[in-house]
């Protein structure tokens, strides 16, 4: 599900909206999720590099925040945190 107010945004590419929607499906009650980029890409039918580009755009626009996760000193998947965006305020 893509939030209705996000659907209307012409400045945000459809692929970014699709990635956002998939992240929402992964998110727990704390607003965090951590799917691998390759998993996201495969599930929505985009390339790895295109998925990274859309994640970067979502972060730059203030919809998500990426946090690096580490296990035994090695980087694993990212943790994605949803940020309340001004487009979701008001009617």
């Amino acid at each position: 599900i893509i939030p209705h107010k996000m659907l209307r945004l012409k400045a945000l590419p459809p692929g970014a909206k699709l990635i956002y929607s998939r992240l929402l499906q992964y998110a727990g009650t704390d607003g965090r999720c951590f799917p691998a980029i390759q998993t996201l890409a495969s599930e929505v039918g985009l390339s790895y590099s295109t998925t990274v580009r859309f994640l970067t755009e979502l972060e730059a626009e203030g919809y998500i925040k990426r946090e690096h996760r580490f296990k035994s000193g090695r980087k694993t998947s990212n943790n994605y945190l949803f940020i309340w965006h001004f487009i979701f305020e008001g009617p």
Side-chain angles (χ1 to χ4, degrees), residues 42-77:
S42 175
E43 290 177 344
V44 299
L46 298 172
S47 70
Y48 183 93
S49 60
T50 300
T51 301
V52 169
R53 181 169 44 94
F54 288 140
L55 286 167
T56 300
E57 186 161 353
L58 287 167
E59 187 172 30
E61 293 296 323
Y63 293 100
I64 63 170
K65 179 180 178 186
R66 284 186 280 187
E67 300 171 336
H68 299 297
R69 295 176 60 210
F70 294 91
K71 185 175 181 179
S72 302
R74 297 180 64 198
K75 186 176 179 284
T76 61
S77 63

Side-chain angles (χ1 to χ4, degrees), residues 4-40:
H4 181 71
K5 289 188 176 187
M6 182 180 271
L7 277 173
R8 294 201 214 137
L9 293 176
K10 294 186 188 315
L12 195 62
K17 296 172 188 179
L18 183 61
I19 294 293
Y20 187 86
S21 172
R22 188 64 186 122
L23 288 173
L24 280 175
Q25 293 171 4
Y26 274 110
T29 56
D30 63 354
R32 295 176 185 269
C33 59
F34 43 90
I37 294 173
Q38 188 57 50
T39 301
L40 279 174

